[in-house]
């Protein structure tokens, strides 16, 4: 297992390096300059500023500097926000985004798994049909539409929960719900299919032939084996959730990373764009890494094969 | 001999969209203590459905036991609750399946899978159960049992996995072991080892075995008695000698004739012409009649009853009726009958039930 985990870790570092490089060169290819809207500055002043940020040097030199700083955990300083370090900007804003994402994925996964399991156990009964309808609806309604509905009915009409802003746990409920519906839908659908497949497999029959009760068979044999493929979709789902948060943050006026990201793109604030992109990518790759490790934890075939190599 | 299991007039159907599939249509047989009863027959004849029904492992719906009884230790298994059945499964009656590659849980250690069966039925501590599991692994011929306990199925070969499956089935010293084509998925040498193991264990523990197979060679080697199934019915039943030396049903003749023979290296393999009937609409009369070159007119009208040939030998064919024309088995079957004399002679005499 240690060997397998280490292998995955190395992959993670390599991927991060490639993404850092790509981000840097893509940024250089973007049209425009951070100083393009500053008409009051004279060319000399502009040159001075460029020099100060190291933007006058040849691109390869800039690249080496950038990598060096990156290793030190330095993502540069923002052009627009009073020279504040990018890391500080990110850490100021990450809280709400992370909380939203985390709540949505935990809540969505738990509800999705339960729905999927119940649907499979009660295959072709009303519980199954209900779960399927929920899954189809959840997958086809975009999170911002649902967000709008929730705001209108639950916040405006019923006045149970606040419409927007970020002033305590109550404020997180509606955006979390809006975000998690997609998660619920995909997890439920996937889990149902996997459970049905596993329940019809030979080793389930073997377990029943031992005299194990239906509940025991499901708890001890079926769920774990159904989880293996479900874990794989957690990775891509995290991506979905991150892009989803951009919209939801705007809709519910959440002071998160997404809103700041969009603004820095509009203003050509290179360090913030690069920093945030890298940060998002790092999160994503970390998610994939965690999924890989989980995969190994649940499935001995993967864990042990990885160890032998 | 003492009867351990009696199956009387068992009918099992599957309710599907197209209608009722009558998979088992009146199966009757007894199982004696310590014997091996082989059930043979073409694909789809109802062997697996019958054996799963004995353990009530068929999903309901779509399956349903329409009629009949399965008597075991004074109880009718068809009438027991799921809970009562759970205390019989794996404890008194165990089952092993065809494909050892898929019949073990891939994410659970071998040790846990064996201990699960032990702990379910016996009041033992975890440590005692572990000891017992190691003993079982040794019993089925797995070396380094303590180390193997901690391993997962994918670390075992097919033959070794089938040994593990057998160990699980034996966990509680069952009275009856049902083996549904336990060696079909294995290659020939491994197959022979597993069969030896099963015979060996039967000698040690004295349980009865119901052995389902397509392979008449295996039957000759393993069984004391043979039941031949066709289209959801037993059409002939008798001791191995009776079925191989004195078969009466034309379907049994067909099966014997279509056996691949290792020593003769026949280029062309005989196969029974035609195909089994549609069990959604089973035909009137003898279901085998359309494929039977010896069919009589009455075969298309009326189902033959079981005619008694000897105390232990019965066959359901009108050819045994006193008014039927005398028919000899075809030459190829007579040839085969001689060949089996060899196999059975090699196997050595064994008291028959
Ligand atoms: N779930 C099911 N639904 C409908 N029909 C079924 C079902 N299971 C089995 N049957 C039918 O029951 C009949 C007997 O099947 P069974 O599996 O017992 O055959 P078998 O003798 O074991 O064949 P094989 O040698 O291929 O294993 C077949 O006609 C099959 O189509
Ligand atoms: Mg079968």
């Amino acid at each position: 297992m240690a060997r397998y985990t280490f292998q995955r870790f190395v992959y993670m570092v390599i991927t991060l390096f490639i993404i850092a490089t790509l981000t840097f060169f893509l940024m250089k290819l973007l049209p425009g300059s951070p100083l393009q809207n500053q008409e009051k500055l004279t060319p000399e002043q502009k040159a001075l500023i460029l020099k100060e940020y190291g933007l006058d040097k040849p691109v390869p030199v800039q690249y080496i500097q950038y990598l060096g700083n990156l290793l030190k955990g330095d993502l540069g300083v923002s052009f627009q926000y009073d020279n504040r370090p990018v890391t500080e900007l990110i850490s100021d804003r990450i809280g709400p985004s992370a909380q939203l994402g985390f709540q949505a994925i935990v809540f969505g996964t738990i509800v999705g798994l339960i729905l999927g399991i119940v649907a499979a156990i009660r295959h072709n009964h009303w519980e199954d049909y209900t779960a399927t309808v929920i899954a189809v609806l959840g997958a086809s309604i975009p999170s911002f539409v649902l967000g709008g509905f929730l705001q209108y009915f639950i916040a405006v009409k019923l006045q149970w929960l606040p419409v927007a802003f970020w002033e305590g746990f109550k404020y997180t409920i509606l955006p979390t719900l809006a975000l998690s519906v997609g998660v619920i839908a995909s997890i439920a659908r996937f889990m149902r299919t996997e459970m049905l497949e596993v329940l019809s497999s030979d080793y389930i029959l073997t377990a029943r032939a031992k005299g194990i009760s239906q509940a025991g068979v499901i708890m001890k044999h079926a769920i774990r084996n159904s989880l293996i493929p479900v874990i794989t979709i957690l990775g891509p789902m995290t991506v979905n959730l991150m892009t989803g948060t951009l919209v939801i943050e705007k809709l519910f006026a959440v002071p998160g990373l997404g809103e700041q990201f969009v603004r820095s793109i509009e203003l050509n604030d290179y360090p913030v764009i690069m920093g945030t992109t890298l940060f998002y990518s790092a999160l994503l790759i970390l998610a994939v890494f965690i999924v890989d490790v989980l995969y190994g934890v649940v499935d001995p075939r993967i864990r042990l094969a990885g160890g032998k190599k | 001999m003492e009867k351990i299991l009696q199956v009387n007039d068992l009918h099992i159907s599957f309710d599907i969209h197209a209608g009722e599939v009558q998979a088992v249509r009146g199966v009757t047989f007894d199982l004696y203590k310590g014997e091996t009863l082989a059930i043979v027959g073409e694909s789809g004849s109802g062997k697996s459905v019958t054996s799963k029904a004995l353990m009530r492992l068929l999903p309901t719906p779509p399956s349903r036991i329409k009629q009949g009884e399965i008597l075991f230790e004074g109880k009718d298994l068809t009438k027991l609750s799921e809970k009562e059945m759970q205390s019989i499964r794996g404890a008194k009656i165990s089952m092993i399946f065809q494909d050892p590659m898929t019949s073990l849980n891939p994410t659970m250690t071998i040790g846990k899978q064996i201990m699960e069966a032990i702990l379910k039925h016996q009041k033992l501590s975890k440590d005692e159960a572990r000891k017992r599991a190691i003993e079982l692994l040794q019993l089925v011929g797995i070396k380094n049992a303590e180390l193997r306990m901690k391993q997962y199925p994918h670390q075992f070969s097919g033959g070794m996995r089938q040994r593990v499956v057998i160990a699980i089935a034996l966990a509680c010293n069952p009275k009856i072991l049902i083996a549904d084509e336990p060696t079909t998925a294995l290659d020939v040498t491994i197959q022979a080892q597993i069969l030896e193991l099963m015979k060996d264990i039967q000698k040690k523990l004295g349980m009865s075995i119901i052995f389902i197979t397509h392979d008449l060679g295996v039957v000759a080697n393993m069984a004391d008695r043979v039941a031949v199934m066709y289209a959801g019915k037993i059409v002939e039943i008798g001791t191995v000698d009776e079925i191989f030396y004195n078969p009466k049903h034309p379907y049994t003749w067909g099966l014997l004739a279509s056996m691949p023979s290792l020593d003769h290296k026949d280029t062309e393999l005989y196969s029974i012409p035609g195909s089994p009937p549609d069990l959604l609409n089973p035909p009137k009369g003898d279901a085998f009649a359309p494929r039977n070159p010896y069919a009589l007119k009455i075969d298309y009208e009326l189902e033959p009853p079981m005619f008694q040939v000897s105390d232990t030998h019965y066959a359901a064919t009108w050819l045994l009726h006193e008014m039927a024309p005398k028919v000899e088995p075809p030459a190829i079957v007579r040839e085969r009958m001689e060949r089996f004399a060899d196999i059975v002679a090699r196997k050595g005499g064994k008291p028959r039930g």
Side-chain angles (χ1 to χ4, degrees), chain A residues 202 206 209-211 221 225, chain B residues 90 102-103 105 113 116 120-121:
Chain A
D202 288 351
T206 305
K210 287 186 221 176
H221 296 271
N225 284 293
Chain B
T102 55
S103 50
N105 182 343
Q113 297 192 51
E116 192 182 27
K120 165 79 196 181
H121 299 290

Side-chain angles (χ1 to χ4, degrees), chain A residues 19-295:
Chain A
I19 288 179
T21 306
L22 279 179
T23 319
F24 177 83
F25 287 104
L26 280 177
M27 205 52 48
K28 291 291 149 197
L29 291 176
L30 270 189
S33 134
L35 306 179
Q36 67 184 0
N37 297 329
Q38 312 289 329
E39 268 77 40
K40 278 175 245 155
L41 294 177
T42 65
E44 289 77 33
Q45 281 174 314
K46 284 191 184 177
L48 210 67
I49 293 173
L50 285 181
K51 188 166 177 225
E52 173 157 350
Y53 287 109
L55 294 174
D56 58 335
K57 300 216 180 70
V59 171
V61 177
Q62 287 185 35
Y63 174 64
I64 301 290
Q65 268 179 354
Y66 157 82
L67 280 188
N69 289 338
L70 206 58
L71 280 180
K72 285 180 265 161
D74 178 1
L75 293 172
V77 293
S78 164
F79 296 155
Q80 301 292 333
Y81 295 99
D82 312 323
N83 281 352
R84 288 178 61 201
V86 174
T87 39
E88 195 182 302
L89 287 173
I90 291 178
S91 60
D92 275 0
R93 292 293 197 104
I94 185 62
S97 298
Q99 188 182 349
L100 258 192
F102 183 73
Q103 284 182 189
I105 217 151
V106 169
F107 178 73
T109 306
I110 293 174
V111 175
L113 285 180
I114 293 175
L115 271 184
I117 292 169
V118 170
I121 296 173
R122 301 287 299 158
H123 186 39
N124 285 338
H125 288 78
W126 67 266
E127 295 92 333
D128 185 16
Y129 301 133
T130 313
T132 307
V133 169
I134 295 178
V136 170
L137 283 181
S140 43
I141 300 177
S143 58
F144 63 88
V145 174
L146 184 77
F149 266 109
L150 290 176
Q151 281 178 320
Y152 182 72
F153 286 106
I154 300 204
V156 177
K157 285 271 160 183
L158 297 169
Q159 308 227 326
W160 286 350
L161 288 166
V163 181
F165 302 117
W166 196 255
E167 282 149 33
F169 180 70
K170 266 204 321 201
Y171 292 79
T172 71
I173 296 177
L174 288 187
T176 301
L177 277 183
L179 265 182
S180 62
V181 165
V183 180
I184 294 177
S186 18
I187 297 256
R189 217 187 41 197
F190 226 73
M191 190 64 184
R192 174 180 177 275
T193 318
E194 286 310 322
M195 272 290 274
L196 283 178
E197 171 116 15
V198 165
L199 283 176
S200 67
S201 62
D202 288 351
Y203 58 84
I204 294 295
L205 201 59
T206 305
R208 289 187 54 219
K210 287 186 221 176
I212 310 296
S213 66
Q214 179 72 6
V217 168
I218 287 164
M219 300 303 292
K220 290 199 207 122
H221 296 271
I223 290 182
R224 185 188 183 112
N225 284 293
S226 314
L227 278 179
I228 294 171
V230 173
I231 288 172
T232 39
I233 65 163
L234 282 176
M237 220 163 51
T238 319
V239 186
N240 269 339
L241 213 67
M242 283 179 184
T243 47
T245 16
L246 292 186
V247 184
I248 290 294
E249 277 177 16
K250 196 129 207 155
L251 188 67
F252 286 90
V254 177
L257 205 53
E259 187 247 15
Q260 176 178 279
F261 187 45
V262 174
R263 180 128 45 107
S264 24
I265 292 177
E266 286 162 6
L267 298 174
N268 273 325
D269 193 346
Y270 292 164
V272 178
I273 303 175
M274 282 198 285
T276 316
T277 310
L278 268 183
F279 181 73
Y280 269 139
S281 319
L283 271 189
L284 201 68
I285 292 165
L286 192 70
V288 172
F289 171 71
I290 292 173
V291 164
D292 277 348
V293 172
L294 274 183
Y295 217 38

